[in-house]
Amino acid sequence: MPALVPFEEVTHLFADFEHTAFRLETRRGYATDRAGERFQAFMRGVDPQPEPDHPWNVNVRAKTAVGARFSRVRIVDEPPTDGQRFLMATAAGNVDAGEDIRILTRAEAERLELPDYDLWLFDSRTVVRMHIDDTDTTIGVEVIEDEAQVLAACRARDAARAAAIPTAEVWAQVRSSV
């Protein structure tokens, strides 16, 4: 097992990166979401309201105001799980803050041979591979600067972004089918 550090030890990267921060999300859900009141309300049929003052959104606005870019591709099942539906329902607030969030089906992700793990890629130089257990809890992260692994992450990012669809389009389709 690689050397893992707590996620908190890499949070500075979200403020320190210069150009791009990209996330690949592969999970069917996340324990932190399921434990939250917003998820519980969503499961009762309450639409999540945007949180413009959430620290995440404040940082995204600050970084995008100076030309940096946040983007992510979420891999979803067909049909999406409750956790994936929740993430699509809450994406509008992140998008309003300046983040580009797109959706890719799991079948397409497999066809493209994308990684089957979550990661962040900062400035095409640093990969933060998330290590997540069977309960969907992040147990630590691996910081990778090896050129070959970074290049593989860059290629995965480019392939995923090219094939993915804006989250609002997918969410509209999912909502109309429920």
Side-chain angles (χ1 to χ4, degrees), residues 3 30 36 55-56 72 120 122-123 125 130 138 154 157 166 170:
Y30 297 90
W56 176 262
R72 72 177 76 208
W120 276 100
F122 295 96
D123 289 330
R125 288 192 306 249
M130 316 285 287
T138 300
C154 290
R157 174 201 57 208
V170 177

Side-chain angles (χ1 to χ4, degrees), residues 2-175:
L4 300 183
V5 298
F7 183 76
E8 294 74 24
E9 288 189 22
V10 300
T11 57
H12 66 92
L13 293 169
F14 296 100
D16 294 348
F17 80 94
E18 294 179 49
H19 307 288
T20 59
F22 169 77
R23 170 82 186 258
L24 180 66
E25 291 183 356
T26 65
R27 306 294 293 192
R28 291 175 169 90
Y30 297 90
T32 53
D33 290 338
R34 287 192 301 272
E37 175 53 36
R38 290 179 85 205
F39 182 83
Q40 299 304 317
F42 175 74
M43 294 306 296
R44 295 189 305 271
V46 178
D47 286 336
Q49 296 304 304
E51 298 179 316
D53 296 328
H54 188 282
W56 176 262
N57 291 326
V58 170
N59 185 55
V60 169
R61 279 194 306 277
K63 293 298 285 186
T64 57
V66 295
R69 185 178 63 205
F70 276 93
S71 65
R72 72 177 76 208
V73 171
R74 290 180 167 145
I75 297 172
V76 299
D77 296 290
E78 296 176 284
T81 66
D82 290 339
Q84 292 164 345
R85 288 177 42 254
F86 173 74
L87 289 171
M88 284 188 271
T90 59
N94 295 51
V95 171
D96 288 346
E99 189 174 355
D100 179 18
I101 302 176
R102 297 173 179 265
I103 303 294
L104 189 64
T105 65
R106 190 166 305 280
E108 183 65 4
E110 290 170 358
R111 187 189 72 74
L112 293 170
E113 299 180 355
L114 296 180
D116 62 353
Y117 52 85
D118 283 31
L119 63 86
W120 276 100
L121 174 62
F122 295 96
D123 289 330
S124 300
R125 288 192 306 249
T126 304
V127 175
V128 174
R129 179 178 174 169
M130 316 285 287
H131 287 262
I132 302 171
D133 69 15
D134 292 341
T135 68
D136 301 316
T137 301
T138 300
I139 57 172
V141 299
E142 177 183 359
V143 179
I144 302 168
E145 293 180 331
D146 171 75
E147 289 181 16
Q149 292 182 67
V150 170
L151 180 58
C154 290
R155 288 182 175 143
R157 174 201 57 208
D158 295 347
R161 284 189 44 79
I165 299 167
T167 195
E169 291 179 32
V170 177
W171 181 231
Q173 294 171 359
V174 168
R175 286 190 75 142

